[in-house]
Amino acid sequence: IQGLEGRITPAFSNGATLVTYRLAIASTAEFTALNGGVTKTAETIDTAVEQLNLIFGRELSINFVLVPNNNS
């Protein structure tokens, strides 16, 4: 949200402390095939987590971070 002096100020609905959770997501072979392979599926999951962060960050002061290297 744009502040009075042109600065960006947080707009948390539920507190000013942002809590971060580590998140690991698994997908099925069917979901991977539907998305066109492992790389595209990872991009789809990244996009979904970014969208979750927009909503949960603003409304609940929660941020999700994907656990790295969990695709093996």
Side-chain angles (χ1 to χ4, degrees):
I1 293 179
Q2 197 73 22
L4 293 176
E5 293 95 31
R7 294 178 296 181
I8 302 297
T9 57
F12 300 130
S13 294
N14 191 10
T17 303
L18 184 63
V19 179
T20 300
Y21 292 100
R22 296 178 72 221
L23 182 66
I25 298 177
S27 68
T28 63
E30 293 82 4
F31 185 77
T32 302
L34 180 68
N35 283 289
V38 174
T39 302
K40 292 283 190 180
T41 301
E43 291 172 3
T44 301
I45 292 171
D46 285 341
T47 301
V49 172
E50 288 175 13
Q51 292 171 348
L52 284 173
N53 283 335
L54 289 174
I55 297 168
F56 279 73
R58 181 182 64 235
E59 298 296 330
L60 300 172
S61 300
I62 293 174
N63 184 51
F64 297 106
V65 176
L66 284 172
V67 175
N69 301 321
N70 66 350
N71 59 351
S72 55

